[in-house]
Structure formats: structure tokens, C-alpha cells
Amino acid sequence: MQEVGDVLHKAKSGRLIIRLTRKIEPGSILLDSKGRNAAKIIELIGPVTRPYASAAPASDRAGIGKDGRKVFLG
């Protein structure tokens, strides 16, 4: 697994806002630190050099929506 970013917060829409540390494509599936499906990237926003991602959480029970959680690409 490769770390791709940190969860900044959960938006009012229910999506997760993630600060990315490397380039990934919309539609990519993100994993939590235990390798479980955590979210799917919906869109990229912000500067090209270090974008943010808006992601739909896989489940409300996953706990990935907490600030500062690392997300990974499998």
C-alpha cells in the first residue's frame, strides 16, 4: 500500500476532503490503514502541484472521516 494523503475533514455534503501527497485519478479506491475499502475519489480540486480530493466514504461506520487519518492506494 502507498500512502496518498490525509483526511482534512468531512464536508456538509458527506464527502471527505483529502489533502493528496501524490497524483491519483478520479475513480480510485482509497484504503484505510488496515487495508479496508475507505472511500472512492469523486473529483480533484485545488492547485495542480498539490491537489485536494473530494471522496465518497465507503461507509459511515469506517471511522475514516476523522481528521488526520491517513489514506492509502492499494
Side-chain angles (χ1 to χ4, degrees):
M1 290 191 315
Q2 296 179 338
E3 182 181 328
V4 294
D6 301 303
V7 175
L8 294 180
H9 67 275
K10 191 170 190 176
K12 289 181 184 179
S13 66
R15 289 188 181 173
L16 301 175
I17 304 302
I18 301 166
R19 176 69 172 205
L20 297 174
T21 56
R22 63 181 295 236
K23 185 178 177 181
I24 59 174
E25 298 296 322
S28 298
I29 303 297
L30 301 177
L31 309 174
D32 64 11
S33 60
K34 295 181 181 179
R36 296 179 296 201
N37 185 3
K40 180 179 179 179
I41 300 292
I42 302 300
E43 63 182 334
L44 300 178
I45 52 180
V48 174
T49 56
R50 187 136 185 230
Y52 295 86
S54 173
S59 154
D60 288 335
R61 293 178 280 138
I64 195 69
K66 296 180 182 170
D67 300 354
R69 295 279 173 110
K70 304 281 186 200
V71 288
F72 302 86
L73 191 60

